[in-house]
Amino acid sequence: MRSPREKRRNRHPASAIHQEDPMSAAANLFDVAMVFAVGLMVAMVSAYHLHELFTADELTMIKNPNQPGKMEIITKKGKEIKVQKLTKEMAQGQGTRLGTAYRLKTGKVVYIPEEEER
């Protein structure tokens, strides 16, 4: 007489599932890869604080600051997004010196305005 465990094992062998559809394992791998990809995208959006790009109505970002020739200004107004490469001509201009800013050892920044010439 057979035990109940042997009867169950013979009735539904584990390999019978894979014999029916050999591509079922590939479909499961695809599902796992898709979940991993979505998780990676969510992690990157939160790590680089890009959620503001999707939610804010007006936004200005500077890409590659202090790198001449590589700086870009990204502006978003409503649904319109503009990308401008910053050139020397765009950064030059005439103006007056307003004062000097100093960073203290504590990390605070102090601004000292210059005396106006009369």
PDB file of all heavy atoms in Angstrom, residues 33-51 54:
ATOM      1  N   ALA A  33      12.469  41.052 -14.328  1.00  0.00           N
ATOM      2  CA  ALA A  33      13.285  42.124 -14.904  1.00  0.00           C
ATOM      3  C   ALA A  33      12.496  43.432 -14.982  1.00  0.00           C
ATOM      4  O   ALA A  33      13.050  44.510 -14.733  1.00  0.00           O
ATOM      5  CB  ALA A  33      13.782  41.715 -16.286  1.00  0.00           C
ATOM      6  N   MET A  34      11.224  43.362 -15.313  1.00  0.00           N
ATOM      7  CA  MET A  34      10.405  44.576 -15.384  1.00  0.00           C
ATOM      8  C   MET A  34      10.225  45.206 -14.007  1.00  0.00           C
ATOM      9  O   MET A  34      10.306  46.424 -13.847  1.00  0.00           O
ATOM     10  CB  MET A  34       9.035  44.263 -16.008  1.00  0.00           C
ATOM     11  CG  MET A  34       9.109  43.921 -17.471  1.00  0.00           C
ATOM     12  SD  MET A  34       9.867  45.209 -18.468  1.00  0.00           S
ATOM     13  CE  MET A  34       8.692  46.511 -18.299  1.00  0.00           C
ATOM     14  N   VAL A  35       9.987  44.407 -12.990  1.00  0.00           N
ATOM     15  CA  VAL A  35       9.847  44.921 -11.630  1.00  0.00           C
ATOM     16  C   VAL A  35      11.161  45.561 -11.181  1.00  0.00           C
ATOM     17  O   VAL A  35      11.168  46.642 -10.580  1.00  0.00           O
ATOM     18  CB  VAL A  35       9.411  43.799 -10.664  1.00  0.00           C
ATOM     19  CG1 VAL A  35       9.528  44.242  -9.219  1.00  0.00           C
ATOM     20  CG2 VAL A  35       7.996  43.361 -10.980  1.00  0.00           C
ATOM     21  N   PHE A  36      12.283  44.944 -11.492  1.00  0.00           N
ATOM     22  CA  PHE A  36      13.592  45.494 -11.148  1.00  0.00           C
ATOM     23  C   PHE A  36      13.827  46.827 -11.858  1.00  0.00           C
ATOM     24  O   PHE A  36      14.305  47.792 -11.251  1.00  0.00           O
ATOM     25  CB  PHE A  36      14.700  44.499 -11.503  1.00  0.00           C
ATOM     26  CG  PHE A  36      16.070  44.998 -11.194  1.00  0.00           C
ATOM     27  CD1 PHE A  36      16.528  45.057  -9.887  1.00  0.00           C
ATOM     28  CD2 PHE A  36      16.900  45.416 -12.220  1.00  0.00           C
ATOM     29  CE1 PHE A  36      17.792  45.531  -9.606  1.00  0.00           C
ATOM     30  CE2 PHE A  36      18.172  45.886 -11.946  1.00  0.00           C
ATOM     31  CZ  PHE A  36      18.617  45.938 -10.637  1.00  0.00           C
ATOM     32  N   ALA A  37      13.485  46.919 -13.140  1.00  0.00           N
ATOM     33  CA  ALA A  37      13.689  48.148 -13.906  1.00  0.00           C
ATOM     34  C   ALA A  37      12.842  49.295 -13.361  1.00  0.00           C
ATOM     35  O   ALA A  37      13.316  50.424 -13.230  1.00  0.00           O
ATOM     36  CB  ALA A  37      13.380  47.903 -15.379  1.00  0.00           C
ATOM     37  N   VAL A  38      11.593  49.027 -13.032  1.00  0.00           N
ATOM     38  CA  VAL A  38      10.726  50.068 -12.470  1.00  0.00           C
ATOM     39  C   VAL A  38      11.248  50.514 -11.108  1.00  0.00           C
ATOM     40  O   VAL A  38      11.283  51.706 -10.803  1.00  0.00           O
ATOM     41  CB  VAL A  38       9.265  49.573 -12.384  1.00  0.00           C
ATOM     42  CG1 VAL A  38       8.405  50.522 -11.571  1.00  0.00           C
ATOM     43  CG2 VAL A  38       8.698  49.390 -13.777  1.00  0.00           C
ATOM     44  N   GLY A  39      11.689  49.592 -10.295  1.00  0.00           N
ATOM     45  CA  GLY A  39      12.260  49.945  -8.999  1.00  0.00           C
ATOM     46  C   GLY A  39      13.516  50.789  -9.138  1.00  0.00           C
ATOM     47  O   GLY A  39      13.734  51.737  -8.382  1.00  0.00           O
ATOM     48  N   LEU A  40      14.343  50.472 -10.122  1.00  0.00           N
ATOM     49  CA  LEU A  40      15.561  51.242 -10.365  1.00  0.00           C
ATOM     50  C   LEU A  40      15.223  52.657 -10.827  1.00  0.00           C
ATOM     51  O   LEU A  40      15.853  53.627 -10.392  1.00  0.00           O
ATOM     52  CB  LEU A  40      16.414  50.527 -11.411  1.00  0.00           C
ATOM     53  CG  LEU A  40      17.812  51.055 -11.619  1.00  0.00           C
ATOM     54  CD1 LEU A  40      18.635  50.931 -10.347  1.00  0.00           C
ATOM     55  CD2 LEU A  40      18.494  50.289 -12.745  1.00  0.00           C
ATOM     56  N   MET A  41      14.222  52.795 -11.672  1.00  0.00           N
ATOM     57  CA  MET A  41      13.819  54.132 -12.126  1.00  0.00           C
ATOM     58  C   MET A  41      13.275  54.971 -10.972  1.00  0.00           C
ATOM     59  O   MET A  41      13.598  56.157 -10.855  1.00  0.00           O
ATOM     60  CB  MET A  41      12.770  54.011 -13.236  1.00  0.00           C
ATOM     61  CG  MET A  41      13.361  53.564 -14.538  1.00  0.00           C
ATOM     62  SD  MET A  41      12.243  53.368 -15.941  1.00  0.00           S
ATOM     63  CE  MET A  41      10.702  54.003 -15.470  1.00  0.00           C
ATOM     64  N   VAL A  42      12.492  54.376 -10.111  1.00  0.00           N
ATOM     65  CA  VAL A  42      11.952  55.108  -8.960  1.00  0.00           C
ATOM     66  C   VAL A  42      13.082  55.530  -8.024  1.00  0.00           C
ATOM     67  O   VAL A  42      13.097  56.653  -7.507  1.00  0.00           O
ATOM     68  CB  VAL A  42      10.897  54.253  -8.221  1.00  0.00           C
ATOM     69  CG1 VAL A  42      10.533  54.860  -6.876  1.00  0.00           C
ATOM     70  CG2 VAL A  42       9.673  54.082  -9.083  1.00  0.00           C
ATOM     71  N   ALA A  43      14.063  54.658  -7.826  1.00  0.00           N
ATOM     72  CA  ALA A  43      15.195  54.990  -6.964  1.00  0.00           C
ATOM     73  C   ALA A  43      16.010  56.141  -7.552  1.00  0.00           C
ATOM     74  O   ALA A  43      16.452  57.040  -6.820  1.00  0.00           O
ATOM     75  CB  ALA A  43      16.080  53.761  -6.768  1.00  0.00           C
ATOM     76  N   MET A  44      16.201  56.155  -8.865  1.00  0.00           N
ATOM     77  CA  MET A  44      16.969  57.232  -9.489  1.00  0.00           C
ATOM     78  C   MET A  44      16.223  58.562  -9.417  1.00  0.00           C
ATOM     79  O   MET A  44      16.826  59.603  -9.174  1.00  0.00           O
ATOM     80  CB  MET A  44      17.281  56.875 -10.942  1.00  0.00           C
ATOM     81  CG  MET A  44      18.332  55.798 -11.063  1.00  0.00           C
ATOM     82  SD  MET A  44      18.679  55.307 -12.752  1.00  0.00           S
ATOM     83  CE  MET A  44      19.086  56.833 -13.526  1.00  0.00           C
ATOM     84  N   VAL A  45      14.922  58.542  -9.614  1.00  0.00           N
ATOM     85  CA  VAL A  45      14.133  59.777  -9.535  1.00  0.00           C
ATOM     86  C   VAL A  45      14.203  60.352  -8.134  1.00  0.00           C
ATOM     87  O   VAL A  45      14.376  61.558  -7.950  1.00  0.00           O
ATOM     88  CB  VAL A  45      12.678  59.521  -9.971  1.00  0.00           C
ATOM     89  CG1 VAL A  45      11.765  60.654  -9.556  1.00  0.00           C
ATOM     90  CG2 VAL A  45      12.611  59.324 -11.464  1.00  0.00           C
ATOM     91  N   SER A  46      14.120  59.517  -7.121  1.00  0.00           N
ATOM     92  CA  SER A  46      14.166  60.023  -5.748  1.00  0.00           C
ATOM     93  C   SER A  46      15.585  60.412  -5.340  1.00  0.00           C
ATOM     94  O   SER A  46      15.772  61.362  -4.593  1.00  0.00           O
ATOM     95  CB  SER A  46      13.590  58.998  -4.780  1.00  0.00           C
ATOM     96  OG  SER A  46      14.395  57.836  -4.768  1.00  0.00           O
ATOM     97  N   ALA A  47      16.603  59.729  -5.840  1.00  0.00           N
ATOM     98  CA  ALA A  47      17.982  60.057  -5.473  1.00  0.00           C
ATOM     99  C   ALA A  47      18.431  61.384  -6.070  1.00  0.00           C
ATOM    100  O   ALA A  47      19.146  62.153  -5.426  1.00  0.00           O
ATOM    101  CB  ALA A  47      18.924  58.934  -5.918  1.00  0.00           C
ATOM    102  N   TYR A  48      18.024  61.670  -7.288  1.00  0.00           N
ATOM    103  CA  TYR A  48      18.424  62.910  -7.946  1.00  0.00           C
ATOM    104  C   TYR A  48      17.378  64.010  -7.811  1.00  0.00           C
ATOM    105  O   TYR A  48      17.480  65.038  -8.459  1.00  0.00           O
ATOM    106  CB  TYR A  48      18.720  62.653  -9.428  1.00  0.00           C
ATOM    107  CG  TYR A  48      19.966  61.837  -9.631  1.00  0.00           C
ATOM    108  CD1 TYR A  48      19.895  60.567 -10.163  1.00  0.00           C
ATOM    109  CD2 TYR A  48      21.211  62.330  -9.279  1.00  0.00           C
ATOM    110  CE1 TYR A  48      21.037  59.809 -10.354  1.00  0.00           C
ATOM    111  CE2 TYR A  48      22.349  61.589  -9.459  1.00  0.00           C
ATOM    112  CZ  TYR A  48      22.253  60.322 -10.008  1.00  0.00           C
ATOM    113  OH  TYR A  48      23.391  59.587 -10.183  1.00  0.00           O
ATOM    114  N   HIS A  49      16.364  63.810  -6.988  1.00  0.00           N
ATOM    115  CA  HIS A  49      15.309  64.789  -6.725  1.00  0.00           C
ATOM    116  C   HIS A  49      14.659  65.263  -8.021  1.00  0.00           C
ATOM    117  O   HIS A  49      14.413  66.445  -8.219  1.00  0.00           O
ATOM    118  CB  HIS A  49      15.859  65.972  -5.937  1.00  0.00           C
ATOM    119  CG  HIS A  49      16.535  65.565  -4.669  1.00  0.00           C
ATOM    120  ND1 HIS A  49      15.830  65.090  -3.583  1.00  0.00           N
ATOM    121  CD2 HIS A  49      17.842  65.517  -4.318  1.00  0.00           C
ATOM    122  CE1 HIS A  49      16.680  64.798  -2.630  1.00  0.00           C
ATOM    123  NE2 HIS A  49      17.903  65.041  -3.053  1.00  0.00           N
ATOM    124  N   LEU A  50      14.389  64.355  -8.921  1.00  0.00           N
ATOM    125  CA  LEU A  50      13.768  64.687 -10.197  1.00  0.00           C
ATOM    126  C   LEU A  50      12.256  64.752 -10.112  1.00  0.00           C
ATOM    127  O   LEU A  50      11.612  65.107 -11.092  1.00  0.00           O
ATOM    128  CB  LEU A  50      14.188  63.678 -11.273  1.00  0.00           C
ATOM    129  CG  LEU A  50      15.663  63.671 -11.612  1.00  0.00           C
ATOM    130  CD1 LEU A  50      15.955  62.576 -12.630  1.00  0.00           C
ATOM    131  CD2 LEU A  50      16.104  65.011 -12.146  1.00  0.00           C
ATOM    132  N   HIS A  51      11.679  64.419  -8.952  1.00  0.00           N
ATOM    133  CA  HIS A  51      10.227  64.471  -8.830  1.00  0.00           C
ATOM    134  C   HIS A  51       9.723  65.896  -9.008  1.00  0.00           C
ATOM    135  O   HIS A  51       8.612  66.112  -9.441  1.00  0.00           O
ATOM    136  CB  HIS A  51       9.779  63.884  -7.490  1.00  0.00           C
ATOM    137  CG  HIS A  51      10.362  64.579  -6.299  1.00  0.00           C
ATOM    138  ND1 HIS A  51      11.618  64.304  -5.839  1.00  0.00           N
ATOM    139  CD2 HIS A  51       9.876  65.556  -5.515  1.00  0.00           C
ATOM    140  CE1 HIS A  51      11.882  65.082  -4.797  1.00  0.00           C
ATOM    141  NE2 HIS A  51      10.841  65.850  -4.585  1.00  0.00           N
ATOM    142  N   PHE A  54       8.600  66.767 -12.508  1.00  0.00           N
ATOM    143  CA  PHE A  54       7.286  66.286 -12.912  1.00  0.00           C
ATOM    144  C   PHE A  54       6.149  67.034 -12.227  1.00  0.00           C
ATOM    145  O   PHE A  54       5.044  67.087 -12.746  1.00  0.00           O
ATOM    146  CB  PHE A  54       7.147  64.795 -12.625  1.00  0.00           C
ATOM    147  CG  PHE A  54       8.172  63.957 -13.332  1.00  0.00           C
ATOM    148  CD1 PHE A  54       9.108  63.249 -12.613  1.00  0.00           C
ATOM    149  CD2 PHE A  54       8.203  63.886 -14.711  1.00  0.00           C
ATOM    150  CE1 PHE A  54      10.058  62.475 -13.257  1.00  0.00           C
ATOM    151  CE2 PHE A  54       9.149  63.127 -15.366  1.00  0.00           C
ATOM    152  CZ  PHE A  54      10.079  62.421 -14.637  1.00  0.00           C
TER     153      PHE A  54
END
